[in-house]
C-alpha cells in the first residue's frame, strides 16, 4: 500500500520492550553495548523448514488454497452477493481440526476492534472529510452477512466468528497431505472509499451519476498457516495487511452489461463480454510499441450515459496467486500494451475514467512496463500474464496482477481546463511503480504482512527508488536518499523497524523510508553493488512463491556475500539509534631521530612557535641592564637551552653504530603520523568515510570499515602515516550514511548556514463597531476574493 494519511489518524501509545538485556552487572552491560554481537541468539533457531543460510529447508512446506467464486455486483445498492467453493490442501505435517478464514470486511462493523480500539488525538483543526468519516463510521452497516457454510456434501459446518476471523470446525480432522472442499455464501454492503477510507470501496461521480468500484478483501479468505506462526489469525485492525496462501482462482463476476471489468487473472470469455472491435484492438496491443486504446475516451463518455438493465458475467482464471481483486465501472477508458522479455509475456493494462486524463493515458501503462523491466533486474522475471493499474478512489494499493492508484489532474470547474501539479505527476508515476512493484514483494515473495510491514513496504520502496531513478534524470524520489531520512532518525517518537505492523509509530518513515534507505546504504556504501545485488537477488529467487521471515532475509544477505552484517541489521532494524559520527582531536606525531643536532633544532622551532607573553611585548624598548653592561653576558647568552653538546653527539654516534640499516632509515623517516579521534554520538556503528586534503591541494578518500568500532563503539582513533601535511578533513562529505549532524564532520569547522526571516508585523485589528455596520450582502451576491480574505481574518 502507498502510505498516506487515512481519514483517521491512529495515535497509539506503545511500550516497546527493548531487545537488549539491560542490567546492572558489568557482564550484562558488555553484552548490551557489543554492537557486533552476532544476531544468532536473537533469530529463531534454524530447522529443516528454514536453514541457517536463510534458504527454505529441505522439508519446507506451505498450504495451498484454491477458490472457485461467483460474485454479483448490485450497482443500484452498491452491494455484493457471492458464493465460493474453497479447496484447502493441508501440506503441513500437522493434523488440522479447524480452518481459520479472514473476514476483513468486518473491520467496517461499528463495534469492530478497528473502530473501538482506535485511540484519539485532540480535535482542534479537523477537515470536513475526517469529520464525515467519524460520523459515517458510526452509522455504516458494513461487515459480512455469512448466510451458508457447508461441507462439499451439503452438510452444514459449525463455525464461530470472532471479529475479523472465522473458525470453521471440520467434520473430521484434516490429515497431513489431504484436502477438503467447503462452500460459503455471503453478502455485504460496499462502502464509499472517500468517506470511510481503506484499501477498496466505490467512488460516486455526481456529474454523471455513475459509480466506480475497486473491490478487494471481498471474499472469505483462508488465514495463512505456517511453521513459524501456526495460524496467522491476528485480528485485522487496520495497519497490518494480509497474510495469505497461494492457490488457483476461478472467478465469475456479474456486473451491469455496460460495465468494463479489470481483474486479477486472464479473461476466459472475451467473446461474451467484449465487442469485436475491442478484441481486435487487444490483439493488436500484444506486440504494440506503445499503448493501444481498447476503450477510447469517447466510447467511455458514451458508456457513462448508458443504463443497461441487463448483466454480463466476466470469467477470470488466475494461477498461483495469493489473492484476487477487481474493478468495475461504465466510466473506464482502457489501454493495453504487451511486454515480452526473457521469461515475461505480459499484457500491461490501464483502466481510468476521463477524469484521469491527460495524465493516465500518457503515464500509466508505460510505468507498469517500466516497473516490470526494472524490478526484474534485481529479482526475477515477472511471471504473471497481466499487470494492471486502475484509477479510482484508493490512493495506492496492490493485489496480484492488479493495482489501484489515485492521482488525477485538477479540473478548473469554470474554464474546464485540466492541469496537474508537479507533485501529482511524480506522485502518479511513483505510486504506479510502487504498487506494481508490490507484485514482487509481497505478492510473490509472500512475507507475513500482518506481522512485518517493512518486509514488503521497505524492500519495495527500495526497488521503487531504483526504478524511479531509471525513469528520468534526477527523478525527485521521496524516499531512498540517505539525506531524506535524517530528520526522522533524529526524532524521539520512534520504534525499531522490527516492530509489529499495528504498533509502528511514524508508519511511512519507519516501514518504508528507513528500510529503503538502509538497503541503499548497504548497497552503495557497505557491501558494494556487486555483492549486494547478487545477495538481494538470491533472497528474491530463494523465496519467490514462498513465505520468508526477517531472519531468512538477514541470513541470506550474509550467506551470499561473505559480509558479516549482523551489526548493521542489529543497529538499523532492532534499535532507534542514528548515525552521528563526529571528528575529535587531530594529533600529529613525527619520529624522534635521536640525533641531538636535529632534535634540539626541532625543539627550538617548536618553542619559537609559541606566542610571546603580553608583558614581554609591552616591555619592548624599555631600559635593559645588559645593554649598558655587555660584560654581564656569558656562555649561556651565546648558547640557548636547545644547543647540542659534543657529549650528546658522541652518545648518539655510539648507539647509532649498533643499529642495522633499516633501523637507521626509520630514524631518518620524515613522515607525519596523524592520529585522528572519532566520536560516535548517534549510536549506530557505521563505516567512517574520510576525505583528506593536503597542503599541496591534493585529496585522498579513505574508507574505514564499521569494524573499527568493534572494541569501543563510542570513541575510536585512527592512525594515518602520510608524508604530506594534512590541512583539512571531512567525514561523509557526500552524505551517504544519513549522518544526522554534519556540522561536526569537518576540520577545520565550517559555519552553519541558514536564513532567518524578517517580516513586518501586520495583524488586522478586530473592530466590532466597523464590522457590525458593514452592509449585509445577499447570498446571491458574488463574493469577491477580498471578501474571503476578510472572512479569514476574523
Ligand atoms: Zn506499499
Amino acid at each position: 500500500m502507498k502510505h498516506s494519511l487515512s481519514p483517521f489518524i491512529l495515535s497509539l501509545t506503545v511500550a516497546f520492550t527493548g531487545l537488549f538485556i539491560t542490567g546492572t552487572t558489568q557482564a550484562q552491560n558488555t553484552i548490551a553495548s557489543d554492537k557486533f554481537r552476532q544476531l544468532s541468539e536473537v533469530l529463531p533457531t534454524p530447522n529443516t523448514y528454514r536453514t541457517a543460510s536463510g534458504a527454505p529447508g529441505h522439508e519446507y512446506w506451505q498450504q495451498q488454497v484454491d477458490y472457485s467464486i461467483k460474485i454479483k455486483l448490485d450497482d443500484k445498492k452498491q452491494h455484493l452477493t457471492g458464493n465460493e467453493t474453497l479447496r484447502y490442501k493441508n501440506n503441513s505435517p500437522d493434523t488440522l481440526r479447524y480452518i481459520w478464514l479472514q473476514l476483513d470486511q468486518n473491520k467496517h462493523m461499528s463495534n469492530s476492534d478497528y473502530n473501538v480500539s482506535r485511540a484519539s488525538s485532540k480535535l482542534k483543526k479537523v477537515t470536513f472529510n475526517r469529520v464525515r468519516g467519524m460520523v459515517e463510521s458510526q452509522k455504516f452497516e458494513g461487515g459480512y452477512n455469512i448466510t451458508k457454510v457447508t461441507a462439499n456434501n451439503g452438510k452444514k459446518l459449525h463455525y464461530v466468528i470472532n471479529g475479523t476471523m472465522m473458525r470453521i470446525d471440520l467434520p473430521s480432522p484434516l490429515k497431513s497431505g489431504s484436502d477438503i472442499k467447503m462452500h460459503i455464501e455471503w453478502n455485504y454492503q460496499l462502502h464509499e472509499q472517500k468517506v470511510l477510507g481503506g484499501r477498496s470501496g466505490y467512488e460516486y461521480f455526481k456529474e454523471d451519476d455513475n459509480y466506480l468500484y475497486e473491490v478487494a478483501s471481498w471474499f472469505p479468505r483462508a488465514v495463512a498457516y505456517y511453521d513459524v506462526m501456526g495460524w496467522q489469525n491476528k485480528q485485522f485492525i487496520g495497519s497490518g495487511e494480509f497474510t495469505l496462501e497461494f492457490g488457483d482462482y476461478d472467478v465469475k463476476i456479474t456486473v451491469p452489461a455496460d460495465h468494463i471489468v479489470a481483474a486479477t487473472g486472464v479473461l476466459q470469455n472475451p467473446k461474451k463480454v467484449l465487442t469485436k472491435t475491442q478484441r481486435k484492438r487487444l490483439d493488436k496491443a500484444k506486440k504494440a510499441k506503445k499503448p493501444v486504446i481498447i476503450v477510447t475516451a469517447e466510447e467511455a463518455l458514451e458508456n457513462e450515459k448508458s443504463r443497461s438493465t441487463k448483466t454480463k458475467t466476466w470469467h477470470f482464471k488466475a494461477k498461483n496467486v495469493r489473492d484476487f481483486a477487481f474493478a468495475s465501472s461504465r466510466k473506464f477508458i482502457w489501454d493495453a500494451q504487451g511486454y515480452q522479455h526473457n521469461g515475461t509475456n505480459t499484457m500491461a493494462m490501464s483502466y481510468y475514467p476521463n477524469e484521469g486524463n491527460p495524465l493516465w493515458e500518457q503515464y500509466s501503462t508505460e510505468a507498469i512496463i517500466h516497473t516490470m523491466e526494472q524490478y526484474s533486474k534485481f529479482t526475477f522475471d515477472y511471471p504473471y500474464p497481466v499487470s494492471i493499474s486502475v484509477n479510482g478512489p484508493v490512493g495506492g494499493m496492490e493485489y496480484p496482477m492488479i493495482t489501484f492508484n489515485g492521482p488525477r489532474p485538477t479540473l478548473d470547474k469554470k474554464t474546464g481546463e485540466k492541469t496537474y501539479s508537479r507533485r501529482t505527476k511524480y506522485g502518479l508515476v511513483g505510486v504506479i511503480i510502487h504498487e506494481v512493484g508490490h507484485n514482487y514483494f509481497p505478492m510473490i515473495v509472500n512475507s507475513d504482512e500482518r506481522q512485518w510491514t517493512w518486509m514488503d513496504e521497505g524492500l519495495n520502496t527500495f526497488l521503487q527508488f531504483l526504478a524511479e531513478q531509471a525513469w528520468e534524470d534526477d527523478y525527485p524520489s521521496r524516499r531512498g536518499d540517505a539525506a531524506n531520512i535524517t530528520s526522522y532518525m533524529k526524532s524521539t517518537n520512534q520504534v525499531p523497524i522490527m516492530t509489529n505492523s499495528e504498533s509502528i509509530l511514524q508508519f511511512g518513515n519507519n516501514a518504508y523510508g528507513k528500510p529503503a534507505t538502509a538497503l541503499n546504504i548497504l548497497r552503495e556504501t557497505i557491501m558494494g553493488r556487486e555483492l549486494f545485488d547478487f545477495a538481494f537477488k538470491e533472497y528474491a529467487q530463494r523465496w519467490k512463491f514462498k513465505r520468508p521471515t526477517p531472519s531468512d532475509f538477514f541470513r541470506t544477505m550474509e550467506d551470499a556475500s561473505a559480509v558479516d552484517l549482523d551489526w548493521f541489521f542489529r543497529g538499523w532494524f532492532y534499535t532507534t539509534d542514528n548515525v552521528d559520527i563526529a571528528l575529535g582531536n587531530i594529533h600529529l606525531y613525527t619520529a624522534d631521530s635521536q640525533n641531538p643536532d636535529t632534535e634540539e633544532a626541532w625543539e627550538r622551532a617548536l618553542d619559537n612557535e609559541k606566542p610571546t607573553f603580553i608583558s614581554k611585548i609591552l616591555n619592548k624598548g624599555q631600559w635593559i641592564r645588559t645593554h649598558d653592561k655587555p660584560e654581564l653576558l656569558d656562555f649561556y647568552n651565546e648558547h640557548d637551552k636547545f644547543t647540542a653538546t659534543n657529549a650528546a653527539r658522541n652518545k648518539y654516534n655510539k648507539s647509532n653504530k649498533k643499529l642495522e640499516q633499516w633501523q637507521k632509515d626509520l630514524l631518518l623517516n620524515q613522515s607525519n603520523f596523524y592520529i585522528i579521534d572519532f566520536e560516535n554520538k548517534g549510536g549506530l556503528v557505521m563505516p567512517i568515510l574520510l576525505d583528506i586534503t593536503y597542503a599541496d591541494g591534493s585529496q585522498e578518500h579513505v574508507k574505514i570499515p564499521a569494524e573499527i568500532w568493534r572494541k569501543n563503539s563510542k570513541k575510536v582513533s585512527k592512525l594515518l602515516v602520510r608524508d604530506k601535511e594534512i590541512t583539512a578533513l571531512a567525514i561523509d562529505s557526500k552524505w551517504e550514511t544519513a549522518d544526522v549532524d554534519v556540522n561536526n564532520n569537518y576540520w577545520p569547522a565550517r559555519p552553519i548556514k541558514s536564513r532567518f526571516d524578517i517580516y513586518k508585523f501586520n495583524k488586522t485589528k478586530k473592530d466590532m463597531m466597523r464590522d457590525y455596520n458593514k452592509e449585509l450582502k445577499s447570498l446571491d451576491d458574488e463574493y469577491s476574493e477580498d471578501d474571503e480574505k476578510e472572512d479569514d481574518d476574523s
Side-chain angles (χ1 to χ4, degrees):
M1 184 185 187
K2 181 201 177 189
H3 172 255
S4 59
L5 279 182
S6 69
F8 309 108
I9 293 168
L10 290 177
S11 163
L12 299 170
T13 314
V14 177
F16 172 70
T17 313
L19 164 77
F20 304 116
I21 305 154
T22 48
T24 47
T25 69
Q26 186 62 39
Q28 280 173 324
N29 282 335
T30 310
I31 290 172
S33 64
D34 179 4
K35 296 184 186 273
F36 289 84
R37 198 172 177 83
Q38 291 296 287
L39 274 178
S40 50
E41 58 199 31
V42 177
L43 302 181
T45 309
N47 53 40
T48 52
Y49 310 131
R50 289 162 203 276
T51 70
S53 67
H58 68 273
E59 288 187 300
Y60 176 84
W61 55 267
Q62 64 190 17
Q63 310 293 60
Q64 162 133 6
V65 192
D66 303 323
Y67 298 85
S68 174
I69 316 176
K70 288 184 185 129
I71 189 86
K72 193 170 182 210
L73 170 68
D74 183 338
D75 187 39
K76 288 215 170 70
K77 295 178 181 158
Q78 296 78 52
H79 193 268
L80 278 180
T81 307
N83 67 75
E84 77 187 51
T85 301
L86 172 159
R87 174 185 167 271
Y88 193 96
K89 173 86 195 297
N90 181 13
N91 293 326
S92 81
D94 315 323
T95 299
L96 302 176
R97 290 181 50 237
Y98 42 79
I99 307 277
W100 281 101
L101 300 183
Q102 324 194 24
L103 304 180
D104 301 295
Q105 289 303 326
N106 286 2
K107 176 190 127 175
H108 290 295
M109 295 166 86
S110 56
N111 63 348
S112 70
D113 286 358
Y114 167 74
N115 276 323
V116 178
S117 75
R118 202 163 53 218
S120 311
S121 50
K122 295 218 165 66
L123 300 176
K124 203 175 171 194
K125 260 195 160 177
V126 192
T127 62
F128 272 109
N129 270 341
R130 199 176 151 213
V131 178
R132 190 175 170 204
M134 291 173 188
V135 174
E136 291 301 319
S137 66
Q138 300 302 309
K139 293 196 285 192
F140 181 68
E141 299 202 10
Y144 282 108
N145 302 306
I146 303 285
T147 51
K148 198 174 179 185
V149 180
T150 59
N152 204 31
N153 60 10
K155 273 196 179 168
K156 275 191 182 170
L157 290 173
H158 179 255
Y159 65 90
V160 171
I161 293 173
N162 171 19
T164 60
M165 294 289 160
M166 172 164 83
R167 191 190 74 227
I168 301 181
D169 298 329
L170 301 177
S172 59
L174 183 64
K175 294 228 168 67
S176 173
S178 48
D179 64 349
I180 185 171
K181 274 189 179 173
M182 287 174 285
H183 187 75
I184 305 165
E185 294 181 13
W186 76 91
N187 63 76
Y188 74 90
Q189 181 61 40
L190 289 157
H191 71 276
E192 188 172 357
Q193 200 278 342
K194 298 275 184 225
V195 180
L196 294 180
R199 297 162 177 83
S200 61
Y202 67 80
E203 178 176 8
Y204 176 61
F205 295 80
K206 205 174 149 210
E207 291 74 18
D208 48 278
D209 186 28
N210 270 300
Y211 291 84
L212 189 161
Y213 300 88
E214 291 181 324
V215 185
S217 307
W218 53 281
F219 59 101
R221 302 177 293 180
V223 164
Y225 181 81
Y226 72 106
D227 56 299
V228 175
M229 291 293 284
W231 290 107
Q232 175 45 295
N233 53 7
K234 185 172 162 50
Q235 293 286 331
F236 179 45
I237 41 180
S239 293
E241 290 181 325
F242 316 107
T243 308
L244 300 155
E245 306 285 13
F246 287 106
D248 298 338
Y249 284 70
D250 186 309
V251 180
K252 289 176 178 145
I253 305 165
T254 302
V255 295
D258 43 13
H259 272 216
I260 293 286
V261 177
T264 301
V266 175
L267 182 64
Q268 301 295 305
N269 58 342
K271 281 190 181 159
K272 283 212 166 137
V273 294
L274 302 180
T275 65
K276 207 174 175 184
T277 316
Q278 288 165 348
R279 295 200 310 270
K280 262 192 185 165
R281 290 168 178 169
L282 259 181
D283 210 46
K284 201 180 135 204
K286 279 180 194 163
K287 298 278 176 195
K289 293 273 174 278
K290 57 179 196 174
V292 172
I293 307 283
I294 314 300
V295 176
T296 67
E298 296 72 31
E299 289 163 352
L301 280 177
E302 257 333 284
N303 285 350
E304 281 183 6
K305 293 174 202 151
S306 139
R307 287 292 177 275
S308 177
T309 51
K310 291 185 184 138
T311 61
K312 270 184 187 171
T313 298
W314 297 59
H315 182 196
F316 294 90
K317 280 186 181 177
K319 271 195 170 327
N320 212 16
V321 287
R322 43 164 261 169
D323 200 359
F324 190 106
F326 67 94
S328 183
S329 182
R330 52 174 74 85
K331 286 178 69 73
F332 282 141
I333 301 168
W334 175 10
D335 72 48
Q337 184 185 345
Y339 173 68
Q340 293 86 23
H341 184 74
N342 290 338
T344 302
N345 185 5
T346 299
M347 191 68 99
M349 301 192 282
S350 300
Y351 299 75
Y352 42 94
N354 267 279
E355 285 78 356
N357 267 343
L359 264 181
W360 272 72
E361 64 182 10
Q362 189 174 3
Y363 291 120
S364 179
T365 298
E366 193 73 40
I368 299 172
I369 292 173
H370 179 75
T371 308
M372 293 188 285
E373 184 188 288
Q374 295 302 316
Y375 274 58
S376 299
K377 289 183 189 169
F378 300 97
T379 54
F380 42 78
D381 290 337
Y382 182 80
Y384 291 133
V386 301
S387 185
I388 293 171
S389 164
V390 180
N391 180 227
V394 177
M397 185 59 201
E398 72 280 10
Y399 299 97
M401 305 188 215
I402 186 168
T403 61
F404 301 156
N405 303 302
R408 270 178 203 158
T410 323
L411 174 72
D412 186 317
K413 280 182 182 161
K414 277 187 192 159
T415 64
E417 193 195 0
K418 275 186 188 171
T419 54
Y420 52 85
S421 65
R422 189 180 171 76
R423 193 189 157 100
T424 301
K425 176 195 164 177
Y426 291 108
L428 177 65
V429 175
V431 76
I432 293 176
I433 292 174
H434 182 95
E435 306 309 343
V436 173
H438 268 308
N439 275 291
Y440 296 81
F441 306 94
M443 295 303 147
I444 294 168
V445 178
N446 183 19
S447 59
D448 182 344
E449 291 182 86
R450 188 136 304 171
Q451 181 61 33
W452 305 116
T453 299
W454 72 268
M455 285 202 76
D456 66 302
E457 298 299 355
L459 270 53
N460 183 39
T461 304
F462 162 66
L463 289 183
Q464 178 194 348
F465 174 80
L466 298 186
E468 285 174 349
Q469 295 307 308
W471 174 270
E472 68 177 42
D473 291 321
D474 301 320
Y475 187 101
S477 295
R478 276 175 68 208
R479 295 180 170 127
D481 188 323
N484 290 356
I485 201 73
T486 53
S487 58
Y488 166 71
M489 297 293 279
K490 269 190 288 193
S491 65
T492 48
N493 56 332
Q494 276 191 63
V495 288
I497 292 175
M498 286 292 288
T499 298
N500 174 266
S501 305
E502 292 298 339
S503 306
I504 292 171
L505 303 175
Q506 303 196 61
F507 204 78
N509 283 321
N510 174 296
Y512 296 60
K514 185 177 169 184
T517 311
L519 294 180
N520 263 327
I521 293 173
L522 261 191
R523 180 171 189 252
E524 309 290 18
T525 306
I526 290 159
M527 299 171 76
R529 290 187 175 188
E530 191 184 359
L531 289 176
F532 178 93
D533 290 353
F534 179 83
F536 190 85
K537 193 168 196 166
E538 180 70 10
Y539 167 73
Q541 297 266 355
R542 282 177 173 183
W543 291 97
K544 71 173 178 178
F545 295 114
K546 293 191 172 70
R547 180 178 291 112
T549 61
S551 57
D552 301 315
F553 177 71
F554 299 149
R555 284 170 166 151
T556 296
M557 291 306 287
E558 294 190 345
D559 183 66
S561 69
V563 184
D564 178 1
L565 297 170
D566 284 32
W567 61 270
F568 185 86
F569 294 129
R570 182 183 282 279
W572 280 83
F573 287 72
Y574 287 89
T575 79
T576 57
D577 289 346
N578 61 47
V579 181
D580 184 12
I581 299 174
L583 264 174
N585 289 328
I586 290 119
H587 311 266
L588 171 60
Y589 298 86
T590 42
D592 184 334
S593 67
Q594 295 175 20
N595 182 335
D597 286 303
T598 314
E599 291 310 309
E600 294 293 359
W602 187 84
E603 294 280 351
R604 181 183 294 118
L606 196 66
D607 194 64
N608 286 341
E609 276 178 26
K610 287 182 191 161
T612 311
F613 183 53
I614 180 70
S615 169
K616 280 190 182 175
I617 296 170
L618 296 177
N619 284 346
K620 220 170 185 184
Q622 74 170 350
W623 180 82
I624 297 287
R625 177 169 297 280
T626 54
H627 289 185
D628 278 0
K629 297 184 173 181
E631 65 271 22
L632 294 177
L633 299 169
D634 73 350
F635 177 83
Y636 290 102
N637 297 102
E638 216 169 299
H639 303 281
D640 67 7
K641 65 175 176 176
F642 302 110
T643 303
T645 64
N646 284 340
R649 289 186 184 113
N650 289 337
K651 194 180 168 198
Y652 165 68
N653 287 336
K654 198 177 165 193
S655 63
N656 204 38
K657 229 175 166 182
K658 291 181 193 157
L659 296 178
E660 292 185 36
Q661 189 54 45
W662 66 271
Q663 290 171 315
K664 286 179 189 168
D665 290 346
L666 272 185
L667 286 179
L668 293 175
N669 186 318
Q670 287 305 297
S671 293
N672 298 311
F673 290 68
Y674 288 98
I675 291 187
I676 302 159
D677 297 340
F678 300 97
E679 195 184 341
N680 179 359
K681 292 186 160 180
L684 283 185
V685 288
M686 286 292 274
I688 301 172
L689 311 175
L690 193 63
D691 284 319
I692 306 170
T693 306
Y694 294 101
D696 63 3
S698 61
Q699 292 198 314
E700 184 191 355
H701 181 72
V702 177
K703 181 173 168 181
I704 306 166
E707 277 77 4
I708 191 165
W709 303 101
R710 68 195 181 278
K711 289 178 183 170
N712 184 339
S713 64
K714 295 196 173 84
K715 276 189 168 140
V716 291
S717 299
K718 178 71 188 169
L719 168 72
L720 297 172
V721 183
R722 296 294 186 272
D723 291 341
K724 292 190 271 189
E725 185 196 345
I726 295 177
T727 53
L729 291 171
I731 299 175
D732 192 14
S733 60
K734 296 193 179 73
W735 293 5
E736 290 176 47
T737 64
D739 192 315
V740 301
D741 181 6
V742 293
N743 292 313
N744 55 30
N745 289 12
Y746 297 98
W747 174 77
R750 297 177 175 193
I752 303 168
K753 289 182 188 166
S754 53
R755 284 193 195 277
F756 62 90
D757 294 332
I758 310 174
Y759 70 98
K760 211 169 148 187
F761 190 76
N762 188 14
K763 201 176 177 219
T764 317
K765 278 186 187 152
K766 243 187 186 173
D767 181 344
M768 187 173 155
M769 200 187 289
R770 176 196 68 195
D771 296 345
Y772 186 84
N773 288 323
K774 254 195 172 176
E775 187 193 346
L776 185 66
K777 288 183 180 176
S778 88
L779 283 176
D780 296 334
D781 285 343
E782 265 207 26
Y783 279 85
S784 72
E785 264 188 36
D786 286 346
D787 291 329
E788 277 173 30
K789 265 186 200 150
E790 271 178 42
D791 288 342
D792 284 345
D793 279 344
S794 60

